[in-house]
Amino acid sequence: MSDYKDKNRYENVDFFAKLACGGNKRLVTRIPRMQEIPPLDISHRELRRIEKENIEYPVFDIEKEYADLLEEKKKLKAHYMPFTAEYYSPSRSPIISEKLTDFDYRKETEADRADFASVLNGDGEWDKITVPHYTGPVGKWNAFYRKTLLIDKKDESAEYVLDFEAADYIAEVYLNGRFVARHEGFFAPFSATLTPYVKSGENTLLIVIKNDVTVTGVVLDGGIKHYGDKIYANTHIGYDEPELGWHHCPPGAGIFGNVRFIKCKKQRVTDIFVKPDTENSKITVYTTFYNFLCEAEDCKVCYTLEGRNFRQTVFRDKPGRISRVLCEENFLEETFELPDFKVWTQDSPYLYEISVALTDKDGNVIDEKQTHFGMRSFVMDENSVPKGKFYLNGERIILRGANEMGHFPNAVMRGDFELVIDDILTAKAAGLNFYRFTQRPVFDVLYTYFDMFGMMCQTDFPAFLFLRDNMLGEAYKQMDEMERLTRNHPSVVIESFCNETADSEDYCWEQYGMGRNDMEKFFEIARRIVGLINPQRVVKYCDGDYSAVEKSYGVNDFHCYTYWYNAHGVLPGKFDKGYL
């Protein structure tokens, strides 16, 4: 039998072994598992002899156990609900926001591809749907969301923006027949500036959603496997179709997050990141704001820091430094002392709220944005033995958790936050302190619930096995979006870059996917991107690394799914013979 590390091991096995592999080179690594497994030798162990009449069998009362579970969850809910309170001051932003829910919808037809103007004009038969909206099938197809926006009189001193919480996969935005914006990906918020094409009266908004075949491939057209450019792993929210859609994996498409029509002033705060420094009792606030004018403007900036779920005002309208306002993106950085701070922990998840306000020279608020954060530290010891010990706020912690594969964001999409709370409390009652959002990021509001209930989590980049080299640029962009989505949330303690990598030669995908060594180079660059955006982030290159390289950063784990996959953990044959 050839060694696992031998790249020619398939050619070195005999004829019957190749038959057992079914012609698949990757299965050659499983041939040793076909050997007969002897019973476990326990002759060297002394077992206490128990007389039959002395055996007491435990009585399992399912009704009592369930009642105890409900009682424990009731106690946990009473403990954690006070941490969902909001004591901070309301935003003073003059932004006008309208949530868009009712759209006309239809899939693209052959006629539409020949005459796109007919789609812009609203020709054809349309269905009435409500956003959030998500549907199948898998594969390559386009769909249209159409709506009329009424504006009594266009305000020339204002900007008109469309904010998306999430859309899957490629979204193209048109207003009054003019192309406005494009975004690729399925988990990140994005915006589209409508101002140049807005007019008084009726405005026709058209959003084109384009689905694609995933990078790892989908079997279509009578059993033929196709490979596309959609960066997507293997879990999402599903759609309402009983055979495939109710499963956790299908890569459908749609506008499954909220959409808001925004009217704002010519300067808008677009992003805030707070980097806590628990060791030195400080925070550093990084602010991004956008200037829509093609000229410099005189603005002032001020900061307010309050408790979010507890009553405290640390400071209010504290002036910040701003030299001059440039066109388009502007970046600010400010450090503040935070003595005697409240620490975010699993049992006491205290949260702070930071507000950043832009004002004109007379002190009138142009825009104000708020975000929360927690004062906590989470580090991974790369030099410990064993390697990879985790520390929360300086104390050793063992993560006890479970995979989450779609039900949480599905509940958020449906607005069922009581289910979100109940599932978090069920996990806590079961002794868990950690969830893995498997193979994709989730809604920002979902991370907020994890923040409030002191439940730690891992967020995964949506890559499974491999990427295709033509999608590297897009992958790096989405890696940036993932970290910006999660970096203010104290509950997000780890990020992982890929699920279950393996050697491309073993799996015969070298013609269309990157091999393990190339994926390692991708991981190295991805870590640098994440580190620039959030230097405190703990990362894992791979979750379930079946072809680990000899030297790699951090700690990669190995998935042991006994009885789920036939090559994982303890083999069923060994289980049967008493091996653990």
Side-chain angles (χ1 to χ4, degrees):
M1 194 63 58
S2 61
D3 184 78
Y4 176 76
K5 297 294 184 181
D6 180 10
K7 292 297 182 181
N8 297 315
R9 57 189 177 274
Y10 181 75
E11 286 70 23
N12 294 338
V13 299
D14 62 32
F15 173 78
F16 294 100
K18 290 182 179 179
L19 285 179
C21 292
N24 191 335
K25 291 183 179 181
R26 58 177 275 202
L27 296 183
V28 71
T29 61
R30 301 181 181 179
I31 289 175
R33 295 164 183 154
M34 301 177 187
Q35 298 172 353
E36 182 179 355
I37 299 171
L40 184 65
D41 180 14
I42 57 172
S43 59
H44 61 287
R45 300 185 184 181
E46 300 230 354
L47 300 179
R48 184 165 58 94
R49 187 177 297 278
I50 301 176
E51 298 299 331
K52 188 174 182 180
E53 58 268 19
N54 295 333
I55 296 177
E56 293 184 8
Y57 295 98
V59 177
F60 183 78
D61 187 337
I62 189 170
E63 292 185 0
K64 181 181 181 301
E65 294 291 335
Y66 185 60
D68 290 346
L69 173 63
L70 294 180
E71 182 62 27
E72 178 64 18
K73 286 167 65 176
K74 183 179 179 181
K75 293 177 182 178
L76 287 168
K77 190 169 186 178
H79 173 77
Y80 283 103
M81 285 307 291
F83 292 99
T84 67
E86 296 180 351
Y87 294 114
Y88 58 94
S89 304
S91 174
R92 298 166 292 179
S93 175
I95 280 180
I96 299 173
S97 175
E98 177 188 358
K99 187 177 179 181
L100 305 183
T101 56
D102 300 325
F103 282 82
D104 295 331
Y105 172 86
R106 69 178 175 86
K107 295 281 183 64
E108 183 187 62
T109 65
E110 288 287 346
D112 296 331
R113 286 190 277 273
D115 184 14
F116 184 61
S118 65
V119 180
L120 297 171
N121 293 333
D123 298 342
E125 296 183 4
W126 298 74
D127 296 323
K128 300 289 184 182
I129 61 94
T130 301
V131 168
H133 174 259
Y134 195 80
T135 189
V138 299
K140 201 176 185 72
W141 53 267
N142 300 337
F144 309 114
Y145 294 77
R146 193 173 186 275
K147 185 177 183 63
T148 298
L149 303 177
L150 292 175
I151 299 175
D152 291 336
K153 184 178 180 181
K154 182 178 180 180
D155 185 350
E156 298 296 339
S157 67
E159 284 293 318
Y160 297 89
V161 180
L162 213 57
D163 282 350
F164 291 83
E165 187 178 22
D168 183 354
Y169 178 68
I170 294 174
E172 294 178 349
V173 182
Y174 295 81
L175 186 70
N176 298 325
R178 304 295 296 274
F179 175 77
V180 174
R182 180 185 187 275
H183 179 266
E184 182 168 349
F186 73 89
F187 62 83
F190 63 97
S191 298
T193 301
L194 307 178
T195 311
Y197 310 115
V198 167
K199 63 181 181 181
S200 300
E202 291 188 352
N203 293 260
T204 301
L205 173 66
L206 179 73
I207 304 167
V208 183
I209 293 294
K210 297 183 175 182
N211 199 21
D212 197 358
V213 176
T214 61
V215 167
T216 50
V218 174
V219 177
L220 301 170
D221 303 335
I224 299 175
K225 194 164 188 178
H226 297 252
Y227 295 87
D229 291 337
K230 181 171 183 174
I231 297 177
Y232 178 96
N234 229 25
T235 61
H236 201 16
I237 54 176
Y239 49 85
D240 194 10
E241 187 275 324
E243 186 169 337
L244 180 61
W246 291 355
H247 193 263
H248 71 275
C249 293
I255 305 175
F256 69 98
N258 293 321
V259 181
R260 293 190 175 274
F261 181 41
I262 303 294
K263 179 184 176 184
C264 63
K265 294 187 179 294
K266 293 295 184 181
Q267 290 81 35
R268 187 186 185 195
V269 182
T270 54
D271 185 59
I272 303 171
F273 168 50
V274 180
K275 185 175 71 174
D277 182 352
T278 57
E279 186 175 344
N280 297 300
S281 302
K282 295 179 180 180
I283 61 170
T284 301
V285 183
Y286 301 88
T287 304
T288 304
F289 72 91
Y290 197 89
N291 179 20
F292 292 94
L293 297 175
C294 293
E295 56 191 50
E297 283 288 303
D298 290 330
C299 292
K300 297 180 180 179
V301 62
C302 58
Y303 300 83
T304 297
L305 181 59
E306 303 170 285
R308 175 188 173 94
N309 53 14
F310 62 97
R311 298 183 187 276
Q312 182 185 8
T313 300
V314 181
F315 51 78
R316 184 177 299 280
D317 289 337
K318 194 168 189 175
R321 296 168 298 145
I322 183 168
S323 55
R324 60 188 182 126
V325 179
L326 306 176
C327 300
E328 301 177 341
E329 300 275 45
N330 288 257
F331 305 97
L332 305 176
E333 179 180 337
E334 203 80 48
T335 299
F336 300 101
E337 303 285 340
L338 186 52
D340 303 320
F341 58 83
K342 288 184 177 291
V343 183
W344 185 93
T345 68
Q346 299 172 82
D347 296 324
S348 300
Y350 289 107
L351 298 171
Y352 287 87
E353 191 81 8
I354 188 79
S355 302
V356 181
L358 287 177
T359 67
D360 61 22
K361 58 184 179 182
D362 298 320
N364 300 308
V365 175
I366 299 172
D367 190 23
E368 183 176 39
K369 187 175 178 65
Q370 299 167 301
T371 194
H372 71 267
F373 66 95
M375 291 296 290
R376 69 103 174 104
S377 66
F378 186 86
V379 298
M380 177 176 66
D381 189 343
E382 296 180 52
N383 300 312
S384 62
V385 179
K387 184 180 178 182
K389 293 180 181 179
F390 295 120
Y391 294 84
L392 176 65
N393 300 321
E395 296 184 3
R396 173 85 187 279
I397 189 168
I398 294 176
L399 301 179
R400 304 180 305 276
N403 286 342
E404 185 283 329
M405 306 187 82
H407 69 281
F408 269 121
N410 187 285
V412 171
M413 186 181 73
R414 293 182 283 107
D416 192 351
F417 290 99
E418 282 301 316
L419 179 58
V420 171
I421 293 173
D422 189 72
D423 281 348
I424 294 174
L425 295 178
T426 299
K428 281 186 169 281
L432 305 185
N433 61 11
F434 176 81
Y435 262 109
R436 175 192 173 201
F437 288 120
T438 307
Q439 304 174 38
R440 81 276 184 246
V442 295
F443 290 112
D444 180 78
V445 67
L446 186 49
Y447 294 121
T448 297
Y449 272 82
F450 273 54
D451 296 340
M452 296 187 294
F453 283 84
M455 177 61 78
M456 295 179 291
C457 64
Q458 171 182 310
T459 285
D460 291 0
F461 186 76
F464 194 171
L465 297 176
F466 59 86
L467 286 171
R468 299 174 67 194
D469 358 23
N470 65 307
M471 296 307 296
L472 280 175
E474 179 61 30
Y476 292 135
K477 186 265 289 183
Q478 293 189 26
M479 192 70 69
D480 175 287
E481 291 177 323
M482 177 177 71
E483 183 55 46
R484 292 183 190 278
L485 175 65
T486 60
R487 61 183 178 172
N488 277 321
H489 294 284
S491 62
V492 183
V493 294
I494 303 175
E495 283 181 352
S496 176
F497 295 159
C498 187
N499 183 69
E500 297 181 351
T501 53
D503 190 84
S504 60
E505 183 178 332
D506 290 342
Y507 285 75
C508 306
W509 63 58
E510 57 266 21
Q511 293 183 16
Y512 47 82
M514 294 166 57
R516 181 60 182 86
N517 289 331
D518 286 339
M519 288 297 292
E520 184 73 12
K521 296 172 185 176
F522 165 74
F523 297 151
E524 291 170 358
I525 297 173
R527 178 167 64 93
R528 290 186 174 92
I529 291 172
V530 169
L532 282 171
I533 302 167
N534 180 9
Q536 298 175 333
R537 174 64 70 213
V538 173
V539 303
K540 284 195 297 183
Y541 278 4
C542 181
D543 212 285
D545 196 348
Y546 300 133
S547 297
V549 297
E550 187 172 343
K551 291 184 179 180
S552 183
Y553 168 81
V555 177
N556 293 347
D557 57 21
F558 188 88
H559 290 170
C560 297
Y561 299 145
T562 299
Y563 276 100
W564 184 5
Y565 299 159
N566 66 356
H568 278 242
V570 179
L571 297 175
K574 284 195 170 184
F575 246 41
D576 183 59
K577 296 296 177 68
Y579 291 82
L580 294 176

